[in-house]
Amino acid sequence: MSNTNTSKYISLILRHKPETIGIELDEHGWADVRELIAGINKTHPLDMSMLETIVAEDAKQRYSFNEDHTKIRANQGHSIAVDVELKAQEPPEVLYHGTGEKFTASIDQQGLLPRSRLYVHLSPDYTTARTVGTRHGRPVIYTVLSGQMFRDSFVFYRSVNGVWLTKEVPVKYLVKEG
Ligand code: HQG
């Protein structure tokens, strides 16, 4: 089994369903590394050195260890309510959101909502947004007027891997491409 499959499974456990392998996350999203390895290892071969490699080489830097590598968490993308201690910060003047064409009628009515996740995910550049959008079919890119939102008191967080997060984006701050 490839590291990609194992990494996807780790992402499912650390963001959405820790109970699948009988573990719990603490309020800051941390899992115990030994428990995680033992739980994952039941279905996907995993030891500490493989986990170190997966965390270090993950293309989107999805995971972090604590200082002594006894705990691990996902940096963002959770559906379960954990506080990964992101610092609120001022976003760039614009950010981008890539989505599938099938969602645009609803987005144009309601704005961007987090759906199953805790936050709406925004990309710092157009190319990344296009890649994210392609996961949902024919991609459509919205430019988000994040600077104006910030001046209007909306709160933004930047994940350690460069993804920007905010609770929602009302329609008036969205500009659809094309
Ligand atoms: C859409 C990946 C209808 C939204 C990526 C999106 C990202 C609406 C979908 C991260 C809506 C949710 C997150 C509304 C938003 N009506 N649809 N009002 N508001 N939507 O997967 O942003 O590989 O939960 O446009 O790289 O696609 O997992 O969010 O299309 O950073 O690390 O609802 O996931 O990272 O889809 O992706 P998702 P996302 P990872």
Side-chain angles (χ1 to χ4, degrees):
M1 195 168 319
S2 74
N3 271 3
T4 311
N5 283 337
T6 307
S7 179
K8 284 206 163 137
Y9 191 52
I10 292 171
S11 158
L12 173 80
I13 300 300
L14 292 180
R15 288 169 167 177
H16 308 297
K17 294 186 165 186
E19 68 276 9
T20 310
I21 59 166
I23 67 168
E24 285 183 10
L25 308 183
D26 75 11
E27 61 180 315
H28 299 305
W30 294 111
D32 181 274
V33 165
R34 267 195 267 174
E35 284 180 17
L36 181 86
I37 291 174
I40 299 269
N41 202 31
K42 286 180 197 155
T43 52
H44 299 64
L46 185 66
D47 60 22
M48 188 60 189
S49 85
M50 286 169 71
L51 185 61
E52 295 274 6
T53 303
I54 287 170
V55 172
E57 294 182 357
D58 185 80
K60 292 190 185 172
Q61 291 294 295
R62 290 180 179 87
Y63 319 107
S64 295
F65 285 112
N66 68 342
E67 216 162 283
D68 64 6
H69 291 209
T70 54
K71 294 193 220 171
I72 184 170
R73 70 182 171 192
N75 292 322
Q76 36 71 217
H78 299 82
S79 55
I80 40 184
V82 296
D83 169 13
V84 291
E85 304 161 287
L86 296 171
K87 258 200 334 207
Q89 50 180 297
E90 181 171 358
E93 198 51 35
V94 296
L95 288 166
Y96 301 91
H97 180 83
T99 188
E101 189 176 34
K102 60 186 178 223
F103 296 138
T104 56
S106 168
I107 291 170
D108 291 344
Q109 296 244 320
Q110 304 176 337
L112 291 174
L113 301 173
R115 311 282 286 201
S116 63
R117 306 198 195 233
L118 296 179
Y119 297 101
V120 172
H121 287 228
L122 303 172
S123 307
D125 61 86
Y126 188 92
T127 310
T128 307
R130 175 165 280 274
T131 307
V132 174
T134 304
R135 293 160 57 249
H136 301 288
R138 201 184 85 75
V140 173
I141 317 300
Y142 287 88
T143 300
V144 175
L145 305 178
S146 40
Q148 191 54 51
M149 285 179 72
F150 183 75
R151 289 187 287 280
D152 292 345
S153 300
F154 285 83
V155 177
F156 286 80
Y157 305 92
R158 186 178 175 279
S159 171
V160 292
N161 62 5
V163 174
W164 285 86
L165 306 168
T166 195
K167 266 286 163 207
E168 60 162 328
V169 181
V171 176
K172 69 172 177 175
Y173 301 107
L174 288 173
V175 182
K176 193 162 49 174
E177 75 172 356

